[in-house]
Amino acid sequence: MPSTTTHAATGPAPAPVGRRERKKAATRQAIADAALRLFLERGYDEVGIREIADAADVSTTTLFKHFPVKEALVFDEDSDQEARLLAAVRERPEGRSIPAALREHALTTRLATGAAEDGDFAAFANLVATTPALRDYAQNMWLRHAAALARVIAEESGLAADDPVCAALAHFALEAPRAASTHDNPRQAIVRAFDLLEHGWSGHAQADA
Amino acid sequence: MPSTTTHAATGPAPAPVGRRERKKAATRQAIADAALRLFLERGYDEVGIREIADAADVSTTTLFKHFPVKEALVFDEDSDQEARLLAAVRERPEGRSIPAALREHALTTRLATGAAEDGDFAAFANLVATTPALRDYAQNMWLRHAAALARVIAEESGLAADDPVCAALAHFALEAPRAASTHDNPRQAIVRAFDLLEHGWSGHAQADA
DNA sequence: CTCAATAAGTGCAACAGTACAACTTTTGAA
DNA sequence: TTCAAAAGTTGTACTGTTGCACTTATTGAG
């Protein structure tokens, strides 16, 4: 997702307290911004690491201290997103089921990302879709998120960690928004999908608070 | 899969007719063998391309003419396997259902690979499992195979190319053997899984010859 | 049989992504 | 002020991968 330095308060990143950490975050952001700009201008494969580092006015070593591999420059907010996703399940209000929490999360984040920067976002999506390296990387990210989510679901629901139901719910919860984006009315699609899921689910696991 | 140059007649590769093509195949095999040996001896990341090329007595350029990327050295027989898989569906005997053909294929290839070289095979599996680059690559291979299989299923069954049923069957057919390998009695597991599948399937698509 | 087209293979230099190590500057706190 | 840790820098080198110019072997057609 393109990040324009100013992002709404949709998660656990509102408090970079120390002067140090703020500077660090700033550097990181400068790198990510420069990278994304160059990538969108000229294509992922046409822009080298050294050039990005130059554009952000840091050394390549510094760049790699912030982003472990080139692809990570594009999926900057990856870990933040994952953290928010897991938090949405872990810290859901009392009495709300896990699927309901997931639906809620899917809806809010979809609104947030799709809102202000629809043009940028389309360009970004296109970049990823047309660059094989990025497609692969995104796919693996997706799998990692699904796995992490499955573990959290297992913890929260009290099911066995390797219960297929957890994996299935996780997969579904991540797949639904993906599928919905090709729909004419994404929000409606998400709601429907999750409604269906919840009923199937409640038969399986009634043990969540 | 480890390939010991002498492999049973389990597929469509028995006729490298021209002198030229035979030499080419020999070179390829020499490279793959050298690579696999070195990888198993010292680990994937500890062996460089140049060293492999030396061991097979070819130049790195030649090596890359046979294998597009380093990982492909390990999954040498990838495309052969995929071809056999698709052929198993396309050229199934008259009157045999698609799931039945897939079950058959799963059983025979499992026997073939698991038979003589169980030690080698375990080492190979371990190599892949412990090397992230290879795990990722294998995962993508799996997805590509599943997609290809789904297309063939669509053709053969007359269903729409993007019918989820095709994708689901393809996924299942490839997943079952994977899951079965952790089972105590793999063959039994495969048979059961496919039996179950066939009944679910026959309700959905009765239109295959 | 000859010959030109084609494919396989060679050697080398270059580039891009990444790692590493030794060093300098900031910065948080005592 | 002082100091140790963290952030950043520089330079260097390794590894996968590609491009280029070139040699050699195979082959199909005349």
Side-chain angles (χ1 to χ4, degrees):
Chain A
M1 276 94 224
S3 56
T4 31
T5 312
T6 63
H7 46 350
T10 341
V17 276
R19 189 153 309 136
R20 203 176 192 137
E21 316 201 12
R22 236 177 306 139
K23 279 200 157 187
K24 179 167 182 174
T27 307
R28 178 194 179 85
Q29 196 61 38
I31 297 173
D33 286 356
L36 188 59
R37 182 172 54 78
L38 291 173
F39 287 156
L40 289 176
E41 276 174 21
R42 319 210 324 254
Y44 181 77
D45 293 316
E46 313 312 315
V47 183
I49 289 284
R50 289 160 177 87
E51 190 178 353
I52 297 171
D54 273 9
D57 202 43
V58 296
S59 69
T60 69
T61 312
T62 298
L63 187 155
F64 277 110
K65 228 164 240 166
H66 285 278
F67 302 91
V69 295
K70 192 187 181 188
E71 288 90 341
L73 288 165
V74 172
F75 300 103
D76 182 11
E77 305 186 306
D78 170 31
S79 50
D80 282 1
Q81 275 185 248
E82 174 168 318
R84 283 197 283 272
L85 173 66
L86 303 187
V89 172
R90 280 213 188 87
E91 298 156 17
R92 68 190 186 283
E94 297 264 342
R96 174 171 297 175
S97 74
I98 293 176
L102 285 170
R103 182 195 53 208
E104 191 65 21
H105 180 72
L107 288 172
T108 57
T109 61
R110 175 138 295 273
L111 290 199
T113 62
E117 36 199 358
D118 228 323
D120 283 359
F121 186 74
F124 172 82
N126 181 60
L127 177 69
V128 174
T130 55
T131 310
L134 294 180
R135 257 205 54 65
D136 288 7
Y137 190 81
Q139 175 69 35
N140 282 67
M141 251 179 47
W142 192 87
L143 289 175
R144 286 208 317 275
H145 288 182
L149 178 55
R151 280 194 298 276
V152 171
I153 291 175
E155 290 169 14
E156 292 287 320
S157 69
L159 292 174
D162 62 345
D163 191 317
V165 176
C166 298
L169 175 54
H171 272 250
F172 185 89
L174 292 183
E175 189 61 37
R178 267 215 296 204
S181 52
T182 61
H183 216 74
D184 50 346
N185 184 344
R187 253 169 302 179
Q188 191 67 211
I190 292 181
V191 173
R192 282 244 204 98
F194 273 94
D195 273 356
L196 178 68
L197 172 61
E198 181 134 27
H199 298 123
W201 166 264
S202 54
H204 262 292
Q206 62 291 70
D208 58 287
Chain B
M1 277 98 222
S3 56
T4 33
T5 313
T6 66
H7 47 349
T10 340
V17 276
R19 191 150 308 142
R20 208 180 195 145
E21 315 199 16
R22 236 177 306 141
K23 279 197 157 188
K24 178 169 181 174
T27 309
R28 179 195 177 82
Q29 196 62 38
I31 297 172
D33 286 355
L36 188 59
R37 182 172 54 77
L38 290 173
F39 288 156
L40 289 177
E41 277 175 20
R42 319 208 324 252
Y44 182 78
D45 293 314
E46 313 312 316
V47 182
I49 289 283
R50 289 159 177 87
E51 189 178 356
I52 297 173
D54 272 8
D57 202 42
V58 296
S59 70
T60 69
T61 313
T62 298
L63 188 154
F64 277 109
K65 228 163 241 167
H66 286 277
F67 302 92
V69 296
K70 192 187 181 187
E71 289 90 341
L73 288 165
V74 172
F75 300 104
D76 183 12
E77 304 186 305
D78 170 31
S79 49
D80 282 2
Q81 274 184 248
E82 173 167 318
R84 283 197 284 272
L85 172 67
L86 302 186
V89 172
R90 280 212 189 89
E91 298 155 16
R92 67 190 188 284
E94 298 264 345
R96 174 170 296 175
S97 74
I98 293 176
L102 285 169
R103 182 194 53 207
E104 192 65 21
H105 180 73
L107 288 173
T108 58
T109 60
R110 174 139 297 274
L111 291 198
T113 62
E117 38 200 358
D118 228 325
D120 283 1
F121 186 74
F124 172 82
N126 180 61
L127 178 70
V128 175
T130 55
T131 310
L134 293 181
R135 258 203 55 62
D136 288 7
Y137 190 82
Q139 175 68 37
N140 282 69
M141 252 179 46
W142 192 89
L143 288 174
R144 285 209 317 276
H145 289 182
L149 180 54
R151 279 194 299 275
V152 171
I153 291 176
E155 289 169 15
E156 292 286 319
S157 68
L159 292 174
D162 63 343
D163 190 318
V165 177
C166 298
L169 175 54
H171 272 250
F172 185 88
L174 292 182
E175 189 62 36
R178 268 215 296 206
S181 52
T182 60
H183 217 73
D184 51 346
N185 184 345
R187 254 169 301 179
Q188 191 68 212
I190 292 181
V191 173
R192 282 242 205 99
F194 272 95
D195 272 357
L196 178 69
L197 173 61
E198 182 134 25
H199 296 124
W201 166 262
S202 54
H204 262 292
Q206 62 293 69
D208 59 288

